[in-house]
Amino acid sequence: MNNQQKQLNEIFEGSQPATAQDKIVNAILDLSQPLTEKTLVDFFDFINLENIKALKDSGTLNGVFYAVSMRARENKPVKVSQATKRLFIKQIENAFENCRMSGKMQGITAFSTLKFCNHNCYKFQNVKGSICEHCYVNLYTQSIVAFLKNTLAICFVEFKPADFKNMFVTVKNAKSFVRFEAMGDLINEIQASNYIKIAKAQSRIKFALWTKNFDILNKALEANPAPKNLNLILSYLKISQNGEDFSQSLTDIVKGENVKAFIVAKDEKTAGKILESNPNASQCFAKNCATCGKCYTKNDSKLIVEVLK
């Protein structure tokens, strides 16, 4: 028994999923067995509001998140049929179709995975002085259902750009700007590569991908260079306390004309110091991304600075 399975068993000590859920859920939980198309599709179909609530009530839900996270970390693509590809592409398309962002992102179409299935999200939230300590993502059960399905659809199957060429034809809500990971982050290279392929297939749309997981992005870029219509937004983990400009260190990690850095400053005064010292910096006033567009378009702004809210 490997260490991952031991950790999972410890999570579930004294707690078992309901009888009706055993076969499907246990197939996901058993990390000693490789993920197959049947296990993936059965679990995808199993996810709905009622079953997620049942898993939560039985004390099993966090373990399911853990198991999905551990499987995603392996970055092993699952070989699937065309029917399964179509099923997952439809899920991705529906996520864009039903996207309803609010606040500063109102009018932006977005796609997100589930942060509870991202091991780095847990790690970053425990970093003192990080922006992740102030995580704004509070998900209702309905959102958990949608984002968990998104995670399964995008993180375990390798697609081709051609698979996504007709995706936005029927998406009424597709605006000129689309954001990858408005509520989560990169989990593995398969996911990052699939985002790049979506952007390649939809050259008329301007995309932006936010991430703090630069190693994952770099590995994906080695095999799949980013197209011109995809901006890569490197979000710095730590909050700037005294006007520190971390943008050069970020853009040294991931290189490219379409790479921008994103830093959160503790207050207006601190943001002012960064803006004064960097001629290529612009301030995010957190009003309306759809009308601003600096993160999504090619422009002189190589660093975006936002004040902590």
Side-chain angles (χ1 to χ4, degrees):
M1 183 182 294
N2 61 34
N3 290 333
Q4 292 177 352
Q5 191 66 49
K6 287 179 180 178
Q7 291 176 29
L8 192 55
N9 289 347
E10 289 172 3
I11 290 175
F12 289 106
E13 187 175 355
S15 175
Q16 296 295 326
T19 303
Q21 303 163 354
D22 278 351
K23 188 173 181 180
I24 294 173
V25 175
N26 283 340
I28 286 290
L29 298 181
D30 187 0
L31 298 178
S32 67
Q33 298 299 315
L35 187 62
T36 65
E37 179 178 12
K38 177 174 172 48
T39 299
L40 185 61
V41 173
D42 283 352
F43 186 62
F44 179 88
D45 291 337
F46 169 84
I47 299 167
N48 58 39
L49 199 61
E50 181 180 352
N51 287 336
I52 289 295
K53 288 180 177 178
L55 290 173
K56 184 177 180 180
D57 292 342
S58 69
T60 310
L61 188 57
N62 285 338
V64 167
F65 295 155
Y66 176 86
V68 173
S69 171
M70 290 299 101
R71 289 187 180 280
R73 285 186 72 177
E74 294 177 350
N75 196 55
K76 293 181 179 178
V78 179
K79 292 184 178 180
V80 299
S81 64
Q82 286 300 315
T84 296
K85 277 194 171 184
R86 288 193 294 270
L87 174 69
F88 288 168
I89 288 170
K90 187 63 178 176
Q91 171 63 30
I92 297 167
E93 185 177 76
N94 286 342
F96 285 119
E97 178 79 34
N98 298 320
C99 173
R100 297 293 182 271
M101 301 304 296
S102 59
K104 72 174 185 179
M105 285 188 284
Q106 186 171 356
I108 295 288
T109 299
F111 181 92
S112 297
T113 50
L114 186 61
K115 74 166 190 174
F116 302 131
C117 294
N118 192 324
H119 60 285
N120 281 321
C121 283
Y122 290 105
K123 180 174 69 176
F124 291 161
Q125 280 186 288
N126 291 318
V127 175
K128 188 174 182 180
S130 71
I131 186 59
C132 294
E133 278 190 313
H134 305 267
C135 183
Y136 61 87
V137 179
N138 293 308
L139 300 176
Y140 297 104
T141 305
Q142 190 170 356
S143 298
I144 290 174
V145 170
F147 291 171
L148 181 52
K149 280 182 170 286
N150 288 351
T151 304
L152 297 178
I154 202 75
C155 292
F156 293 96
V157 175
E158 290 182 330
F159 294 98
K160 298 177 181 178
D163 294 324
F164 300 114
K165 67 178 182 178
N166 296 319
M167 177 178 293
F168 284 89
V169 172
T170 60
V171 178
K172 299 175 183 177
N173 197 38
K175 309 295 184 185
S176 56
F177 300 144
V178 173
R179 174 168 173 167
F180 293 126
E181 295 305 336
M183 311 288 278
D185 204 334
L186 293 178
I187 302 174
N188 65 15
E189 296 157 41
I190 297 170
Q191 171 195 11
S193 295
N194 284 334
Y195 287 154
I196 294 169
K197 292 169 186 176
I198 291 174
K200 285 182 177 179
Q202 299 292 329
S203 59
R204 67 184 176 86
I205 296 175
K206 292 181 173 63
F207 295 84
L209 165 62
W210 265 255
T211 187
K212 295 178 180 66
N213 295 319
F214 314 132
D215 288 343
I216 292 174
L217 177 59
N218 259 337
K219 289 176 182 177
L221 290 170
E222 289 176 6
N224 297 281
K228 293 181 180 179
N229 62 319
L230 172 61
N231 279 356
L232 305 173
I233 313 298
L234 311 181
S235 180
Y236 196 71
L237 179 61
K238 291 289 191 74
I239 297 169
S240 180
Q241 300 290 338
N242 299 297
E244 303 94 339
D245 180 356
F246 306 106
S247 58
Q248 187 62 53
S249 63
L250 294 180
T251 53
D252 282 344
I253 298 171
V254 181
K255 298 182 182 296
E257 292 184 5
N258 51 351
V259 174
K260 298 175 184 284
F262 193 97
I263 295 175
V264 176
K266 70 173 182 179
D267 52 32
E268 288 284 355
K269 184 178 180 180
T270 305
K273 289 182 180 180
I274 301 173
L275 295 166
E276 185 177 348
S277 65
N278 190 331
N280 295 319
S282 296
Q283 185 166 354
C284 170
F285 293 99
K287 290 184 177 180
N288 191 285
C289 298
T291 56
C292 173
K294 288 180 181 177
C295 292
Y296 298 85
T297 57
K298 187 175 181 179
N299 51 62
D300 293 333
S301 297
K302 294 299 182 182
L303 168 62
I304 311 296
V305 182
E306 185 178 25
V307 176
L308 180 66
K309 294 184 283 293

